[in-house]
Amino acid sequence: MPKKQSTAAQRARAAARQGGKYTQALRTAESPAPGATGQDDAYGGHEFEYESSTDLFRCTECRVYEVVARDTDGPIKPCTGLVGYGGDTGRVYLLLTENPDLPYRHAAFLATKVRSTGIGRAPRFSWRDGKLLVESAPSVVAELARRVELITTTVEDRQVLAVTSVDHLTAEAGQAVLAENYAAYVAEYGEDA
């Protein structure tokens, strides 16, 4: 006999089938603490999305299915992060400063480039005032920093570096930046994301 789902989980499944984000719908329904991100939330940092071919929910980061990550009536196992993290559950951050010589903001461009490496990602509320915070694992962060420093873009037919600095931050410092960015978002837009 299948386990009975909570009303929040039923609504989240319905939202996912309509193209919405499953984990985001669950977080909204259960109202986590403001600015809760990563492994501090009830989902262990997972970002589950509906997979229509299996009718299951799979984490976009570590690729594990929700039914495997969640112990029977127990807590959810923490997300190991992107497959490229090699199972390293530790987190560190890089704070990238966009090149001010660029004619417009490149936050989405940078976030996409970082994500395409497979060893880093830009979490929610990671960009503010020309700085992009990216998350990685201690075992691969040096390689990610090396790759980020090489990212260029074309400006007036010449190649320009996309970032002027790459600062290494601890997990605590990175979480503090995310909390500040979240508070700035709420102050500007007056609503929870």
Side-chain angles (χ1 to χ4, degrees):
M1 178 178 220
K3 185 173 130 181
K4 184 177 179 187
Q5 291 183 331
S6 69
T7 304
Q10 290 172 357
R11 287 185 186 137
R13 286 181 72 83
R17 288 192 176 104
Q18 298 294 320
K21 301 283 186 181
Y22 176 72
T23 309
Q24 184 177 356
L26 277 176
R27 285 185 176 118
T28 301
E30 295 177 2
S31 301
T37 58
Q39 296 187 20
D40 293 337
D41 69 18
Y43 305 100
H46 291 281
E47 291 292 335
F48 294 112
E49 290 199 4
Y50 181 67
E51 190 176 74
S52 61
S53 62
T54 61
D55 194 35
L56 295 172
F57 294 88
R58 191 175 206 176
C59 180
T60 60
E61 306 296 320
C62 67
R63 308 300 296 154
V64 70
Y65 288 101
E66 180 185 24
V67 294
V68 175
R70 188 177 300 279
D71 290 335
T72 307
D73 295 327
I76 197 161
K77 297 173 192 162
C79 182
T80 57
L82 296 173
V83 175
Y85 288 6
D88 188 345
T89 58
R91 294 291 175 266
V92 290
Y93 295 87
L94 297 174
L95 188 60
L96 315 179
T97 304
E98 288 183 297
N99 187 339
D101 295 337
L102 299 177
Y104 56 90
R105 297 289 182 209
H106 281 70
F109 167 76
L110 282 172
T112 301
K113 287 289 196 177
V114 167
R115 179 65 179 219
S116 71
T117 66
I119 56 175
R121 71 178 184 118
R124 294 176 69 207
F125 308 109
S126 59
W127 184 86
R128 183 167 63 110
D129 298 332
K131 294 187 182 283
L132 178 70
L133 186 76
V134 296
E135 174 190 84
S136 189
S139 60
V140 294
V141 73
E143 175 62 15
L144 178 61
R146 186 189 70 76
R147 291 184 191 184
V148 165
E149 290 170 342
L150 299 174
I151 297 173
T152 61
T153 187
T154 305
V155 175
E156 298 175 0
D157 297 329
R158 62 185 171 87
Q159 292 295 305
V160 177
L161 290 173
V163 298
T164 57
S165 69
V166 178
D167 299 315
H168 293 256
L169 302 179
T170 63
E172 296 78 22
Q175 290 295 319
V177 170
L178 288 174
E180 289 171 14
N181 290 355
Y182 176 80
Y185 175 90
V186 171
E188 184 173 344
Y189 297 104
E191 60 186 47
D192 196 3

